[in-house]
Amino acid sequence: MSDTKRRDAEDEEAGETKGLKKHHFTPLELQKKQLDKLLEKIDKPVLIPERSNQTRAPKEPRDYVKNVQGSSAGAGSGEFHVYRAMRRREYARLKNMELESKEEREQREHEEKIKAMRAADEEKTEKNRNKRQRRKQRARNNSLSKKKDSSRSSEGNEDEESEGEHSQDDRKDNKRSKRESDDEDK
């Protein structure tokens, strides 16, 4: 059997006839067809447009009204549609104005919130900085007092016993003052 006859037989088995063209595609078939077309030329770059996030603002209201309704008792059959279109445009315009004011208000609130957070952070940072400075100053004062005590003890002619008593008293005073300053920091 030749190749063409074999292909025709396979197509008939699959339920497809070669001469019949299908015009009404399902969404799945359309998508498959588009993908197959794209994959035929795989080296060609594909342009995918980006979707804009902004909605189109409705047109500005006109200065003049074309469709002025008369004062006759009966209105024509088309007047309702004209009225409905005008009403829809007006509602769209009002909705757009409300959205803009809402976005502006939210933006202001967001900026105020960020300002408040930054101020709180700065305040906390300043407080911690002062606390560190006090600790450093206290450490310097303690080291200076220790140096003075050691220089006094080496210079003085006092008894060793009295020096021991003074140094113990100084240590107790230093510990007590340190505890008090820690309590003040808290």
Side-chain angles (χ1 to χ4, degrees), residues 94-130:
L94 292 175
K95 183 179 179 182
N96 190 37
M97 286 172 44
E98 288 174 3
L99 284 175
E100 286 176 359
S101 66
K102 182 181 177 184
E103 287 174 1
E104 187 176 308
R105 187 175 353 107
E106 287 176 352
Q107 182 69 22
R108 263 189 279 120
E109 289 172 357
H110 180 69
E111 289 172 0
E112 290 172 2
K113 184 179 176 183
I114 287 180
K115 246 184 211 179
M117 288 172 62
R118 284 185 180 156
D121 286 346
E122 287 294 323
E123 185 179 324
K124 187 175 181 181
T125 303
E126 183 66 26
K127 183 179 175 184
N128 289 340
R129 182 182 304 124
N130 291 336

Side-chain angles (χ1 to χ4, degrees), residues 36-152:
D36 290 341
K37 187 175 180 182
L38 285 173
L39 292 174
E40 284 176 4
K41 300 175 184 175
I42 196 124
D43 295 336
K44 185 178 176 183
V46 178
L47 176 67
I48 300 173
E50 290 186 21
R51 190 174 196 183
S52 66
N53 293 338
Q54 296 178 347
T55 58
R56 285 189 354 191
K59 295 179 183 176
E60 291 293 322
R62 297 179 180 155
D63 293 337
Y64 60 93
V65 179
K66 280 185 190 177
N67 303 312
V68 178
Q69 296 178 357
S71 60
S72 63
S77 62
E79 297 301 317
F80 174 71
H81 302 293
V82 173
Y83 163 75
R84 192 171 63 178
M86 286 177 17
R87 186 181 64 178
R88 183 181 34 113
R89 282 192 296 267
E90 181 65 15
Y91 284 157
R93 186 178 71 84
L94 292 175
K95 183 179 179 182
N96 190 37
M97 286 172 44
E98 288 174 3
L99 284 175
E100 286 176 359
S101 66
K102 182 181 177 184
E103 287 174 1
E104 187 176 308
R105 187 175 353 107
E106 287 176 352
Q107 182 69 22
R108 263 189 279 120
E109 289 172 357
H110 180 69
E111 289 172 0
E112 290 172 2
K113 184 179 176 183
I114 287 180
K115 246 184 211 179
M117 288 172 62
R118 284 185 180 156
D121 286 346
E122 287 294 323
E123 185 179 324
K124 187 175 181 181
T125 303
E126 183 66 26
K127 183 179 175 184
N128 289 340
R129 182 182 304 124
N130 291 336
K131 198 173 181 181
R132 281 192 308 272
Q133 293 296 330
R134 285 194 303 265
R135 253 189 270 136
K136 286 180 183 177
Q137 187 64 35
R138 216 176 307 120
R140 283 188 208 123
N141 290 341
N142 286 341
S143 66
L144 289 176
S145 66
K146 286 181 182 178
K147 286 181 182 178
K148 287 180 183 177
D149 289 343
S150 64
S151 64
R152 286 182 191 166

